[in-house]
Amino acid sequence: LMLQKDGCGGVSTLAFWYFLVQQGSVAIFQAGLFSNIAHAPPKLQGVITGIVSSGYGLSAAFVTLLFSLFGDDLERYFKGTGLLFCITAVGAAILMPFLHVRSRSTNYGRLPEVTPK
């Protein structure tokens, strides 16, 4: 098993690093969610929230599929997913300046009040 080799910190070290990765993942999800809500028209903010949240949930299914392709070779899995994360991070950094638009939203996260007639 790879976790028992010399120079490996063991399961506790691996759990600590996965905890840090998860914190970064949640921070990126929240930043993406809130910025998309802020830039959406008020009537579409719920739809945008659903789309961004479903993408975050489906990413676990994608990573599970990757794991099944690598089988029991954890070293190849970690290197492969690390490469995938690097490629997506560089791609996002390159595309980010082109995706910046001015906010069209009049309210942040709340539809305007409608008074009954």
Side-chain angles (χ1 to χ4, degrees):
L1 193 76
M2 191 170 101
L3 294 175
Q4 297 171 347
K5 290 183 179 179
D6 291 337
C8 180
V11 175
S12 59
T13 304
L14 183 64
F16 172 74
W17 288 111
Y18 264 43
F19 171 76
L20 291 180
V21 167
Q22 178 60 27
Q23 296 307 309
S25 172
V26 169
I28 291 171
F29 164 69
Q30 289 177 343
L33 178 65
F34 296 145
S35 65
N36 279 304
I37 290 173
H39 288 85
K43 291 184 179 181
L44 291 177
Q45 288 176 348
V47 173
I48 297 299
T49 301
I51 291 171
V52 173
S53 297
S54 66
Y56 183 71
L58 288 174
S59 66
F62 180 70
V63 172
T64 302
L65 174 68
L66 279 178
F67 184 74
S68 69
L69 294 176
F70 287 109
D72 292 336
D73 191 358
L74 287 177
E75 187 171 350
R76 278 185 56 214
Y77 170 73
F78 287 131
K79 288 179 180 177
T81 54
L83 180 63
L84 176 69
F85 295 157
C86 289
I87 290 171
T88 55
V90 169
I94 291 171
L95 290 176
M96 194 60 68
F98 301 108
L99 298 176
H100 183 73
V101 294
R102 291 186 49 162
S103 176
R104 291 176 281 150
S105 177
T106 56
N107 294 324
Y108 180 72
R110 184 173 175 177
L111 294 174
E113 296 290 330
V114 177
T115 56
K117 294 181 180 182

